[in-house]
């Protein structure tokens, strides 16, 4: 398919038994011919039925890679005589670059990526692109912390919440102490996840790591009520994210 708003090519695929069907019905003839040539050059068995490209299931990924090349070539490019701004992102985490690319696409920002992995946009779009970095909470090159997201992040926060909840009710629960301490140690090393507020995340880390320190310190002066109160604070920090 072709996006009517940008002229960029898009496609969808669906399974059909042992085959995979790519809908290219809306693609212009020259783009379809290019796909044919690339598939033949790569010796990928295929056939066309009207506007549908059909390949074996084990050829799906290779076919998608070829289609993605054609899609990338269809994207608008920057005019040479227009002022441009370059963002040096070659050493940024791939996950953050992917999030940024998706946001730029959704915002309709015309852009190019250099072979080194840097981003080029029109100067008139600089303010809009800058705002995306802030909105998405992108942090940049590795600062020694660990990037975590998806199911791994959810599981970690659930473990931390469960431990804090148990400690808020029974500060002497040995299983809760062990479980919470292990989760708190990991949380302390996690970079601010994309979409999370920096200050809220750092406050959670401070409270979780602080409580872990109290639990591990045999000479700590915090009584059971103080530990319960600390645990409740951690639990309440986590509620909006679970």
């Amino acid at each position: 398919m072709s996006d009517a708003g940008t002229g960029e090519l898009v496609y969808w695929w669906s399974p059909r038994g042992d085959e995979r069907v790519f809908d290219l019905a809306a693609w212009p003839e020259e783009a379809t011919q290019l796909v044919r040539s690339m598939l033949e050059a790569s010796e990928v068995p295929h056939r066309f039925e009207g506007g549908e490209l059909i390949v074996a299931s084990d050829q799906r990924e290779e076919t998608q890679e070829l289609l993605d090349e054609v899609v990338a070539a269809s994207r608008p490019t920057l005019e040479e005589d227009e002022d441009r701004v370059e963002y040096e992102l070659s050493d940024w985490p791939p996950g953050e670059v992917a999030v940024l690319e998706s946001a730029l696409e959704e915002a309709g920002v015309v852009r190019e990526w250099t072979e080194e992995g840097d981003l080029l946009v029109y100067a008139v779009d600089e303010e809009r692109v800058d705002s995306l970095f802030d909105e998405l909470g992108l942090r940049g090159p590795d600062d020694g912390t660990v990037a975590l997201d998806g199911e791994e992040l959810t599981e970690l926060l659930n473990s931390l919440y469960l431990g804090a909840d148990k400690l808020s009710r029974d500060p002497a629960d040995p299983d809760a102490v062990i479980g919470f301490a292990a989760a708190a140690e990991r949380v302390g090393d996690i970079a601010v996840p994309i979409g999370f507020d920096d200050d809220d995340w750092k406050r959670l880390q401070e409270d979780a790591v602080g409580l872990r320190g109290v639990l591990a310190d045999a000479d700590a002066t915090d009584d059971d009520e103080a530990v319960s109160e600390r645990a409740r604070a951690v639990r309440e920090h986590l509620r909006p994210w679970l």
Side-chain angles (χ1 to χ4, degrees), residues 102-125:
S102 178
L104 292 169
E105 178 71 21
E106 185 175 346
V109 175
V110 179
R111 63 210 177 274
E112 288 183 19
W113 293 91
T114 69
E115 291 184 3
E116 293 74 24
D118 295 328
L119 171 67
L120 298 173
V121 300
Y122 286 128
V124 295
D125 288 325

Side-chain angles (χ1 to χ4, degrees), residues 3-41:
D3 189 314
T6 64
E8 180 178 329
L9 303 176
V10 296
Y11 65 84
W12 306 99
W13 70 270
S14 59
R16 181 192 294 170
D18 293 333
E19 297 179 323
R20 297 297 178 263
V21 181
F22 292 84
D23 182 0
L24 309 182
W27 282 34
E29 180 62 24
E30 61 270 21
T32 303
Q33 287 298 335
L34 178 56
V35 171
R36 290 178 188 271
S37 298
M38 295 174 70
L39 289 169
E40 290 170 2

Side-chain angles (χ1 to χ4, degrees), residues 37-198:
S37 298
M38 295 174 70
L39 289 169
E40 290 170 2
S42 299
E43 299 183 348
V44 175
H46 65 281
R47 71 180 188 276
F48 278 87
E49 293 181 359
E52 294 181 336
L53 165 63
I54 303 169
V55 300
S57 60
D58 60 358
Q59 297 292 334
R60 178 184 64 80
E61 290 187 6
E62 185 173 359
T63 300
Q64 282 191 269
E65 290 176 3
L66 295 176
L67 291 175
D68 288 343
E69 289 184 35
V70 178
V71 169
S74 75
R75 289 174 178 147
T77 55
L78 302 177
E79 299 292 340
E80 291 291 341
D81 57 351
E82 294 288 339
D83 291 336
R84 297 180 289 181
V85 175
E86 180 174 2
Y87 292 84
E88 297 182 355
L89 307 179
S90 58
D91 59 347
W92 280 50
E96 291 199 342
V97 173
V99 168
L100 175 62
E101 167 63 18
S102 178
L104 292 169
E105 178 71 21
E106 185 175 346
V109 175
V110 179
R111 63 210 177 274
E112 288 183 19
W113 293 91
T114 69
E115 291 184 3
E116 293 74 24
D118 295 328
L119 171 67
L120 298 173
V121 300
Y122 286 128
V124 295
D125 288 325
E126 181 178 10
E127 184 174 342
R128 185 160 51 141
V129 174
D130 287 346
S131 68
L132 286 177
F133 280 88
D134 294 333
E135 291 171 15
L136 298 170
L138 303 181
R139 299 175 299 277
D142 182 19
D143 59 0
T145 55
V146 178
L148 201 66
D149 57 17
E151 291 185 8
E152 280 191 279
L153 177 62
T154 300
E155 289 177 4
L156 175 59
L157 296 183
N158 278 331
S159 296
L160 192 67
Y161 180 91
L162 181 61
D165 184 56
K166 288 181 177 179
L167 288 173
S168 69
R169 291 180 278 110
D170 182 2
D173 183 334
D175 290 335
V177 170
I178 294 172
F180 179 87
E185 182 176 16
R186 287 196 66 199
V187 164
D189 293 330
I190 303 300
V192 182
I194 294 174
F196 284 60
D197 179 80
D198 285 20

